[in-house]
Amino acid sequence: MLLITDRPEQSHKLDRLLSLWGPCAVVDLNRPVAVRPASRHLLISDVDLSNRASVEAVRRTLASHRSAGTPFLCLLRDPSPRTAVQANAIGASAVLSADAPAKVLLGEVGRMLNGAGDSQPVQQQFVAASVVVADMLERAARGDALSPAALDGGIEAINRAADQRDLGAWLDMVWSHDDATYQHCLLVAGLAAAFAERLSFPETARRLVTGAALLHDVGKARIPLAILHKPGALTAEEMRIVREHPRVGYEMLRMQGGFEREIVDAAYSHHEYLDGSGYPRGLRADEVSDLVRMITICDVYAALIERRSYKAPMAPEQAYGTLAAMTGKLDPDLLRAFRQVVLPN
């Protein structure tokens, strides 16, 4: 995708949200930098169309990057007839309010990328969950309170997707996300929801497991993106900063209040191992709750199968074999049950 904007202070947030559907390059009309022409599946503009100079700048940028048939979504800040006419004049395939909710924006982008037909239920649930993850991490990064209602909606969406018992479809959509942190949250939450469903947990327990998975890495919102998105190995100091995220997430949830004790504990303890070799507290055996044991299994498995620029993803069989070889670290009974989630045949 290519995002054309004249308000760079907003572009990073929009770019990161759009990364749900894949890589997104940005052209800032205030500081034009050459963006190498490439095959674009979708062009998006977030520009003040009441400014004639901006309209002409958008027109020139489109001419450089638009091929025949490439859809163009124009975000309108002023939904007046005049700006709608301007959008049509520069060739918009669709228009949407720049203030449209993230769910509406992502749904429209998905429709334009994947065709005009109605999306499948799992895709609809995935978009809803992605919006929740984006909102959660943005709020956490700013130091704002998380929205319990939004989180409940994300938990519901992920659990209903798990009801379909189509983990492969969920994984395919996760891989389309270009932001590593969003991808990981959605991956662990999808695995945990499928795990709880496979264990026939009642709905209340399923919501607790999925909620814990959704929030387990919330502390990473306070880790600099330059470290989280670094393409190579981390330095010792960068690793020290990353390893603070369980404590940061715990303090964040504890200070806000209103979250179940088990969810707060999962944010703090999901890197603990039963043999005491984990962090940040070196918990052992019965000090690690059953829910945390589930989240840890999903978290480690997710890290093994994730695609990164610096490592190839493991195949499911190899990733599960790696978990099975972690003798003494993971709960063996839960690990056997997890096999039916990721290697059902």
Side-chain angles (χ1 to χ4, degrees):
M1 289 176 287
L2 182 72
L3 171 63
I4 307 166
T5 183
D6 61 358
R7 49 178 182 177
E9 70 282 358
Q10 296 291 328
S11 68
H12 175 69
K13 179 179 178 181
L14 185 56
D15 171 28
R16 200 174 184 198
L17 185 64
L18 291 170
S19 72
L20 162 65
W21 294 115
C24 182
V26 178
V27 172
D28 177 4
L29 296 182
N30 297 306
R31 299 179 62 184
V33 176
V35 176
R36 187 168 57 186
S39 177
R40 305 291 179 186
H41 298 294
L42 177 64
L43 302 172
I44 304 168
S45 69
D46 175 24
V47 175
D48 179 9
L49 296 186
S50 66
N51 183 314
R52 182 172 181 80
S54 295
V55 172
E56 291 305 316
V58 173
R59 195 189 303 274
R60 288 193 299 271
T61 304
L62 289 171
S64 300
H65 294 278
R66 193 176 192 182
S67 303
T70 303
F72 165 41
L73 172 61
C74 188
L75 302 181
L76 298 181
R77 297 179 202 163
D78 171 20
S80 66
R82 179 169 177 258
T83 56
V85 168
Q86 288 281 27
N88 288 327
I90 59 177
S93 309
V95 296
L96 197 63
S97 170
D99 296 325
K103 182 178 180 180
V104 174
L105 171 62
L106 288 177
E108 180 63 14
V109 170
R111 183 192 70 79
M112 295 180 76
L113 285 171
N114 300 316
D118 293 335
S119 57
Q120 297 301 309
V122 173
Q123 186 180 69
Q124 294 170 4
Q125 308 295 1
F126 180 75
V127 169
S130 295
V131 171
V132 170
V133 169
D135 179 70
M136 174 187 74
L137 293 177
E138 289 290 338
R139 285 173 178 266
R142 294 194 306 264
D144 295 343
L146 306 184
S147 168
L151 289 168
D152 285 344
I155 292 167
E156 174 70 13
I158 295 168
N159 281 346
R160 299 294 70 82
D163 288 342
Q164 306 297 316
R165 289 207 170 191
D166 192 353
L167 184 60
W170 183 269
L171 294 180
D172 286 343
M173 286 180 280
V174 168
W175 300 145
S176 73
H177 213 307
D178 196 49
D179 186 285
T181 306
Y182 289 8
Q183 184 186 92
H184 184 72
C185 288
L186 290 163
L187 179 52
V188 175
L191 288 167
F195 199 0
E197 192 277 336
R198 186 58 61 100
L199 291 173
S200 300
F201 279 13
E203 185 64 23
T204 301
R206 289 180 64 188
R207 293 185 67 84
L208 193 64
V209 171
T210 305
L214 200 56
L215 287 166
H216 83 287
D217 260 353
V218 67
K220 283 187 177 177
R222 302 284 178 84
I223 305 298
L225 289 177
I227 295 178
L228 289 179
H229 294 172
K230 185 176 178 179
L234 300 180
T235 66
E237 176 60 16
E238 289 167 341
M239 182 60 73
R240 184 195 65 77
I241 292 171
V242 170
R243 286 168 69 98
E244 282 294 311
H245 79 270
R247 196 183 309 277
V248 171
Y250 164 74
E251 292 293 345
M252 196 184 304
L253 298 179
R254 185 182 66 84
M255 292 294 291
Q256 177 174 333
F259 297 100
E260 289 91 339
R261 176 182 55 81
E262 296 88 346
I263 288 179
V264 178
D265 181 46
Y268 202 3
S269 307
H270 62 278
H271 284 292
E272 303 285 1
Y273 291 135
L274 301 183
D275 63 1
S277 63
Y279 70 91
R281 293 176 289 169
L283 302 182
R284 302 180 66 91
D286 292 344
E287 295 174 314
V288 183
S289 71
D290 289 343
L291 186 147
V292 169
R293 296 178 189 207
M294 291 179 66
I295 301 301
T296 300
I297 289 172
C298 295
D299 188 40
V300 175
Y301 181 83
L304 294 173
I305 66 171
E306 282 170 343
R307 302 168 182 177
R308 294 288 181 265
S309 60
Y310 54 87
K311 76 171 187 71
M314 283 190 183
E317 297 83 359
Q318 184 184 5
Y320 183 82
T322 300
L323 265 65
M326 296 172 64
T327 306
K329 296 181 182 295
L330 305 174
D331 186 297
D333 294 328
L334 286 173
L335 192 54
R336 281 191 291 271
F338 186 66
R339 180 185 178 90
Q340 296 305 311
V341 178
V342 296
L343 300 173
N345 297 323

